[in-house]
Amino acid sequence: MSLPQFLSPRWGLLLLWVGWLASGHLTLVTRAANQDESKVRPYRLPDPLRLEDGRAVTNAQQWIQERRSQVLRLFEDHVYGRPLPTPTARRFLVVREDPQALGGRAIRQDVQLEILQPRAGIALDFTIFLPRSATGAIPMLVGLHLFDTAAPEPRPAVGRRLPGQPTPDPTPAGKATLEAILNRGFGLASLNLGYLAPDSPTEYRRGAAYLMGIDTNRPPEPTETGALGIWAWGLSRALDYFETVPEIDAHRVAVIGHSRMGKAALWASAQDPRFAWTIANNSGCGGAALSKRDYGETVEIITRAFPHWFAPHFRTYAGHEDQLPVDQHQLIALLAPRPVYVGSAAEDHWADPQGEFLALVHAEPVFHLLGTPGLGTTSAQPQLDQPLGATLRYHRRAGQHDLTDVDWEHYLRFLSP
Ligand code: GTR
């Protein structure tokens, strides 16, 4: 006996997807998430190289001077919201320093960003580890929630350590990864969400958004920044700190993130060209995956479950993705000509590995225009675990949604071949 259509594994088990809200309420999403490639409806992507008045962008200067700012504004107004201002009255406080961390191999600093105006308070806290064996200025990897900064020896096993979820037992593999990062001569910084913007629809404006002048007594404006934008703002503030530390090479900073933090990493780097590399692991919907491609998590599902991640305006495209004037390949294009690595996992259908791959493919014309090699393919996904491309790089790891040691290995080779 064959299963009714709605129970078929081809549709996944997502007929009723139960979303979790930090307020403790449950939300029912009534539309199933498609996980059948043959059911992807035809869609049209906006051309990154077409100006709003219809003219084609034919040279690098035109992209840099005219088109790039148009695309950036589209993401601000329709997806993530307008950025918080850069603070002018602020100071960094090193609240704890351990020059002999990790058995003497690293210098550890716990740092806070204090905003003095328009409102006074701590907007961000983060922890950095610098290799003590460094001979020159140290390049950095920075990301949100990469490890548990409360632990004396952090393990960058991000996927399992999200706010609101129980902290898992640290794994030795995670520690080995941290050591591999330090051995390559890179420092590592992890930002916490607590002061910055807690991952909750009722709390996310409590931190940096409030301190930077947002009126939190009224509902957010349609284009007000969501949590992803505040997290991205925090990543840029950590880079401000790196610029003040003589041991750090602030021109060689890679921003990395997994899942929701991968979305924030992409948006941070799109807005802030000081980031030299961008790495987005399993970033999915609102990250590297195309929104107009109806596969896995959709705008409708993500904005119901996590309404606070985006500008309120983004919600109006739920079920109307065809009307979005922008799509995620253009977010990748905003990173050009800097190197970008997008990592997918083969079984992570929710994040749409093919949609992540296609975003790179469709960003490629901008990289070519700026004189950099792209992926080197227009259609076929690479073999499992075989990274593809140079400035635009991609892999599809075997397995599920996670940031594993295999992913880290690929990323470290990308940063220091
Ligand atoms: C999921 C969400 C994804 C992804 C993930 C995560 O629930 O649907 O977009 O961001 O959370 O961040 O772990």
Side-chain angles (χ1 to χ4, degrees):
M1 196 179 81
S2 71
L3 289 168
Q5 172 78 7
F6 66 90
L7 283 179
S8 106
R10 299 171 72 194
W11 277 90
L13 292 173
L14 298 161
L15 182 67
L16 286 180
W17 188 79
V18 181
W20 173 85
L21 292 178
S23 59
H25 297 131
L26 291 176
T27 292
L28 287 182
V29 175
T30 47
R31 216 170 123 238
N34 174 37
Q35 297 195 5
D36 180 344
E37 193 60 43
S38 73
K39 293 213 166 71
V40 173
R41 292 189 297 257
Y43 58 94
R44 268 191 65 175
L45 294 177
D47 182 351
L49 294 178
R50 178 79 48 194
L51 286 150
E52 271 159 17
D53 63 11
R55 282 179 299 135
V57 175
T58 54
N59 59 63
Q61 215 178 352
Q62 246 186 326
W63 166 262
I64 294 161
Q65 290 178 353
E66 296 183 67
R67 180 59 178 152
R68 193 180 183 284
S69 53
Q70 289 183 350
V71 174
L72 193 60
R73 183 46 75 92
L74 289 171
F75 279 107
E76 289 176 7
D77 287 351
H78 300 272
V79 184
Y80 304 106
R82 301 270 172 98
L84 296 178
T86 303
T88 46
R90 52 100 173 125
R91 63 182 172 199
F92 289 102
L93 313 167
V94 178
V95 291
R96 187 174 155 243
E97 186 158 36
D98 179 359
Q100 299 289 341
L102 296 171
R105 304 191 50 219
I107 301 164
R108 173 185 174 139
Q109 284 188 340
D110 292 347
V111 184
Q112 290 183 342
L113 164 64
E114 184 183 15
I115 302 292
L116 306 170
Q117 269 174 13
R119 295 185 177 120
I122 305 297
L124 173 67
D125 71 316
F126 55 96
T127 295
I128 67 178
F129 282 85
L130 302 177
R132 281 177 54 95
S133 55
T135 47
I138 301 167
M140 295 293 292
L141 267 154
V142 60
L144 290 144
H145 222 75
L146 286 174
F147 53 79
D148 178 1
T149 57
E153 294 204 347
R155 277 139 290 234
V158 279
R160 299 168 289 261
R161 215 184 290 272
L162 286 164
Q165 290 180 3
T167 304
D169 287 331
T171 61
K175 188 172 171 209
T177 301
L178 174 62
E179 282 171 355
I181 292 167
L182 296 172
N183 284 344
R184 294 256 178 172
F186 273 74
L188 181 65
S190 182
L191 279 56
N192 296 318
L193 304 190
Y195 287 112
L196 181 60
D199 191 2
S200 143
T202 52
E203 301 290 304
Y204 75 102
R205 301 198 296 170
R206 191 188 72 190
Y210 172 78
L211 294 176
M212 292 314 299
I214 296 241
D215 177 0
T216 52
N217 289 320
R218 46 139 193 85
E221 304 283 345
T223 60
E224 187 177 299
T225 181
L228 289 169
I230 307 172
W231 298 337
W233 179 92
L235 289 164
S236 285
R237 301 295 71 79
L239 184 38
D240 295 345
Y241 176 68
F242 301 160
E243 287 178 339
T244 72
V245 180
E247 291 79 13
I248 292 179
D249 184 350
H251 297 292
R252 288 194 298 149
V253 176
V255 61
I256 181 167
H258 168 64
S259 207
R260 68 195 72 183
M261 306 314 173
K263 306 179 210 295
L266 288 166
W267 180 226
S269 194
Q271 297 173 90
D272 191 342
R274 292 177 301 165
F275 289 109
W277 299 270
T278 313
I279 303 171
N281 189 72
N282 303 183
S283 58
C285 182
L290 295 172
S291 297
K292 290 174 191 286
R293 215 182 97 87
D294 179 24
Y295 188 101
E297 189 173 30
T298 61
V299 174
E300 178 177 351
I301 294 170
I302 202 167
T303 55
R304 272 183 197 255
F306 306 103
H308 59 294
W309 284 1
F310 302 91
H313 195 180
F314 191 49
R315 246 173 275 162
T316 63
Y317 297 103
H320 307 285
E321 287 84 349
D322 56 319
Q323 286 165 31
L324 258 172
V326 70
D327 209 329
Q328 302 306 108
H329 62 304
Q330 290 161 291
L331 187 66
I332 309 282
L334 288 174
L335 309 174
R338 295 165 290 153
V340 188
Y341 200 139
V342 168
S344 302
E347 291 166 38
D348 186 15
H349 298 288
W350 191 247
D352 186 12
Q354 176 70 359
E356 296 186 318
F357 172 70
L358 288 174
L360 293 180
V361 169
H362 292 290
E364 194 171 56
V366 177
F367 284 77
H368 283 164
L369 190 74
L370 300 186
T372 58
L375 262 184
T377 181
T378 50
S379 53
Q381 277 256 6
Q383 296 293 310
L384 279 184
D385 297 320
Q386 298 293 314
L388 176 78
T391 314
L392 280 173
R393 200 158 166 86
Y394 176 82
H395 74 242
R396 195 167 50 103
R397 172 184 46 75
Q400 299 181 355
H401 188 73
D402 200 356
L403 174 52
T404 69
D405 284 352
V406 173
D407 296 310
W408 276 108
E409 214 179 294
H410 290 314
Y411 298 146
L412 289 177
R413 223 172 288 138
F414 170 65
L415 297 175
S416 87

